[in-house]
Amino acid sequence: MGNLPAELTSFVGRQRELSQARQALARSRLLTLTGPAGIGKTRLALRLAHEVRRSFPDGTWMVDLSSLDDEALLVRTVVTALGIDPASPLPSIDVLISHLAGRRMLLILDNGEHLLEPCAAFAHTLLAAGPDIRVMATSRQALGVDGEFLLTVPTLSAPDPKSPPTPAAMERYDSVLLFVERASAVVGEFTLTEEDCAPVAGVCHLLDGIPLAIELATAWLRVLSPKQLLSGLDDHFSVLNYGGRATPRSQQNVCSAVKWSHGLCTTREQLGWARLSVFSGGFDLEAAEAVFAAEPGRTAEGQVLEMISGLVDKSILIREGAHGMPRYRMLVTVRHFGVMRLRASHEETAVRRRHRDYYQRLAARAAADWFSPRQDSWYFRLGHERGNIRAALDFCLSMPEEVHAGLRMLSSLWSYVLSADDLDEERHWLGQALALDQQPSPARAKALWVDGWLSLLRGENDVAKDRLTECRTLADHLGDPETDVHAAELGGLVALFEDDLEAAVALLEEALRGHRARKDLWSEWTALFLLALARCLTGDSQARTTVDECLALCDAHDARRSRSYARWLLGLHHWIEERPARAISCLEDALRLSQPSWDVLIGAQCLEVLGWALADEGRWEPAAVVLGAAQTQWAATGTALPGAGRLLRHHTACEQRLRRALGDSAFETAVQTGTALSPIQAAERALGIAPVATPATTQPADIATSPLTRREHQVVALLAKGLTDKQIAAKLVISPRTAEGHVRRILAKLGCTSRTQVATWAITNLVKRS
């Protein structure tokens, strides 16, 4: 008994949500399924109603409220849906309650968010009058009735488009299952192929796993391939504006579904929706207050809290983070609609400037407070804000008058970049900003200094020298003491990387004096660290004293991340002084300090010197394994292995020693074992937490035992065909920078120094397996 519509298409996934909803309906008499437009609330409610219908002998009934505009007709609409013959032109709630007396039934109030108060009052009255009545509502916000159980319907799980799994593994994701099911209905039997994996993963990811969006997108497979569909999704609404004639008006396409939600918002909420759409990757309350901007007569905090609360209630914003400072985000489709509204309002530039100003201030605060107990906090916070930082920089580089602000912002981020393995991206932004703003200024001088530093870490010494030359010229032109000091420090760093240690010491001593005179604590520590490194490498009698100064400064300011670098320095000093056991102890301590937020650069440095120290103790195989792990870490940082000239000579000497002790085959096997380790596994292996295991065979790795990921095997196969990074990127539907990163990691993991060697490995191993 009931009026549930038949399911015209298969129901995909949602097993966890179905279980939760079934349990909730058993415990509570009012269950409300909430979530944004197109998330599948109605479909989940229908499936649940079908599954529990035997528990309700008097029927499971659905009342569609989406087209009801007059709240006075609510009771009549319910009466009509229940098939009751109305006794009067407008039956009262009393007539309905009398009819339902003693019945055991489930009533579904579908899409009632635009009649929220009438629906809440109706549900309350109904539940109070009939103890065996259950009500399930679908709405973009809660009804707010006592005893209501809320279940937020999440998006469907989607694979990572950057490294999609095999076709068989892809179908473990509900969004992919839905895509395949609906694609089959459109074009006949649709089988997911290797070639389809990347674009299908991209479509599901880009559409946030929203069922309605995926269903509308697959309709275009009549005329588009999955790859073409992914390309077309840059313009969400023109592609997805496609629905069947019988689809309800508010659900015919994603655009109209979102517009429906927009119409339910207050004027202030609509304004907030548009302005908050500038955020990329989420935001917190502080950021929202800065970007929304206070209006006269009201505090920013008060109006923004009220506005955010309303948008969360209506499922426009999704709240994330159960503890600590909550963050909010919009689904991609919802955000695109907000951006369109923002552009139509003619205030986009002003709002984006406020967004940029906020993140510029945040970066400056992080830089000023980096050498403190809050290093890890800043690291995680800036990591959360990567999307917003990119958006702010993109805004800066899109308009000539904003580029200078971008230079200042980039210079503030360099401390974070060293820890976060963002060297390539930072240099990408720096290159653009320096090319667009060539006016002499302290900001340009600081950006040149940062880019020079990063160039050295990438092994681009000639670029660093060019940056140093311009930095010195600018210092002379500007007469700015800060620029003078930075030029001296960059000069010392260049000398250090080129193994001119005497010049390095002199220039770094000059820089240290300048930073101390300016009371720039973080810059003082970096100059002191580099000076200590130069003195260690020369065997200077002041080396230990300088290292101790580094440690003391970290302890005085409780700078934990910096202390891991200082402990590495002490380990290096002990190794140079031929005290390997003490070196190992210091390096293990440095690795521990780098947790829980993994600093890839210090991890690479620690594993590298740890390998040297293990070799000094005659622990040949563990030393080679750790060197292999270091090799992967160096590749992950994008830095030149392992940096400064003299350190590279020590690496080469250690490798030659291990080859003589183990033999080439055993050495390569041990190194390959290390290269396959993740950063955490490498740290655990180095700290003795996990046992060292080496492959049973010393033959070259094939696909089954290779350290390469599935995606890296795809790249290797294309390398073997002689394709360039750009051609590989086009084949795999990834960016050229991502392809370049894959190639670097492949070279590191296979121990190769050229693409030709990788091709030879591929021919030997891939052909052998085929």
Side-chain angles (χ1 to χ4, degrees), residues 553-668:
L553 202 57
C554 293
D555 291 343
H557 297 276
D558 197 16
R560 177 188 173 93
R561 297 179 75 87
S562 297
R563 182 176 171 79
S564 66
Y565 282 83
R567 291 293 292 176
W568 171 79
L569 264 180
L570 185 57
L572 175 66
H573 173 70
H574 282 309
W575 178 79
I576 289 172
E577 294 295 316
E578 300 182 356
R579 294 187 289 266
R582 295 178 70 177
I584 290 170
S585 176
C586 290
L587 296 166
E588 289 180 340
D589 188 32
L591 280 170
R592 290 189 186 92
L593 286 168
S594 69
Q595 306 297 318
S597 57
W598 179 254
D599 185 324
V600 182
L601 183 58
I602 189 58
Q605 293 177 182
C606 287
L607 292 168
E608 179 70 39
V609 181
L610 185 58
W612 306 347
L614 290 170
D616 278 359
E617 291 197 333
R619 296 157 65 181
W620 312 120
E621 188 179 31
V625 170
V626 171
L627 277 190
Q631 184 174 295
T632 298
Q633 300 303 293
W634 287 120
T637 65
T639 58
L641 173 119
R646 190 156 303 190
L647 293 175
L648 184 57
R649 292 216 302 270
H650 289 314
H651 167 87
T652 302
C654 181
E655 181 178 319
Q656 291 172 347
R657 185 180 180 188
L658 290 172
R659 284 185 182 277
R660 288 194 301 269
L662 291 170
D664 286 344
S665 180
F667 172 77
E668 295 292 350

Side-chain angles (χ1 to χ4, degrees), residues 54-76:
R54 292 185 180 178
S55 300
F56 299 97
D58 294 305
T60 50
W61 305 84
M62 171 168 277
V63 183
D64 182 6
L65 302 175
S66 61
S67 59
L68 179 64
D69 296 322
D70 186 351
E71 64 183 69
L73 298 176
L74 175 60
V75 175
R76 175 179 282 276

Side-chain angles (χ1 to χ4, degrees), residues 512-560:
L512 180 59
R513 288 192 297 271
H515 290 316
R516 282 176 171 166
R518 294 178 51 254
K519 301 188 184 304
D520 184 341
L521 188 62
W522 172 237
S523 294
E524 174 188 342
W525 188 85
T526 60
L528 186 62
F529 171 83
L530 294 174
L531 178 59
L533 175 58
R535 285 176 171 169
C536 283
L537 293 175
T538 60
D540 191 317
S541 60
Q542 297 183 63
R544 177 59 190 267
T545 301
T546 314
V547 171
D548 287 343
E549 283 185 63
C550 278
L551 283 164
L553 202 57
C554 293
D555 291 343
H557 297 276
D558 197 16
R560 177 188 173 93

